[in-house]
Amino acid sequence: MVWLGALMVILLVVYFAMVMLLDRIGVPTHTEDLPPAPEFTHHGEPVIEMISRWEREERLNRDQINERLPEPFELLLLGEDINANGHLNHVIIAGDPDVPDLSNALRNVGYAHTFYSLAVYELRDRTIHPVLLIDNESIRDGYGRRLIDQIPAAYGYALLMESFENDALYDAPVQLIEIVMLNERGREASDDITIYWDPSDASFKATNTFGAP
């Protein structure tokens, strides 16, 4: 019995060591069900795969990854469950020379970033799925559906992400993605658009009347 117990302990140690090793070397890849967004591809490689490789193989954090990312990309969130659905998310933005600096008025109400394109990815079983893609022409969910009618955002967007709690809808706090189109002087050129996760449909939705009765 003693030898059997010792053998079981050894097997458990080996098992957990193998699990940790596989987790370290198993770099997630972009889903094959959808092609990578061209605006988030660099030299033929999805930017999200570069980020995943640096995170898993080299254990780099967000700031270290941003030091390596080529322009115009910036990683805003790395491995956070922003939708309270049990899956980790990565949020990446891309700039453009036509995107102006933020006006003080927008900074004063919490907007902190500007972008021309934005992507939210979700990690599911070592596969990375785009669940939100924004460019100057449209806001689309992971299925390619437009979330809201809009005119082109010629000068990009301003971005604010803030925590939101609703015990009736979510099991934990989620992140709302608030954007506004910019004009050539970095001021708002549209109503605020709030992009939120709809757990009943397992996808993002967008509205300019969030919180209204």
Side-chain angles (χ1 to χ4, degrees), residues 8 24 28 31 42 49 57 59 75 77-78 123 136 139 161 170 185 191 202-203 206:
M8 291 296 294
R24 188 179 183 87
T31 178
H42 182 71
E49 290 189 1
E57 293 182 350
R59 290 296 193 256
L75 177 64
L77 294 179
L78 175 66
L123 180 61
N136 68 314
I139 304 169
M161 297 189 69
Y170 306 109
R185 292 184 290 176
D191 293 335
S203 65

Side-chain angles (χ1 to χ4, degrees), residues 24 27-28 42 45-70 73 75 78:
R24 188 179 183 87
V27 177
H42 182 71
E45 180 181 15
V47 173
I48 188 61
E49 290 189 1
M50 297 165 54
I51 291 170
S52 295
R53 186 171 67 251
W54 293 336
E55 180 198 13
R56 289 297 181 97
E57 293 182 350
E58 302 183 41
R59 290 296 193 256
L60 300 187
N61 60 33
R62 188 195 67 178
D63 292 338
Q64 292 168 326
I65 289 172
N66 275 324
E67 290 176 0
R68 287 199 188 183
L69 276 177
F73 305 109
L75 177 64
L78 175 66

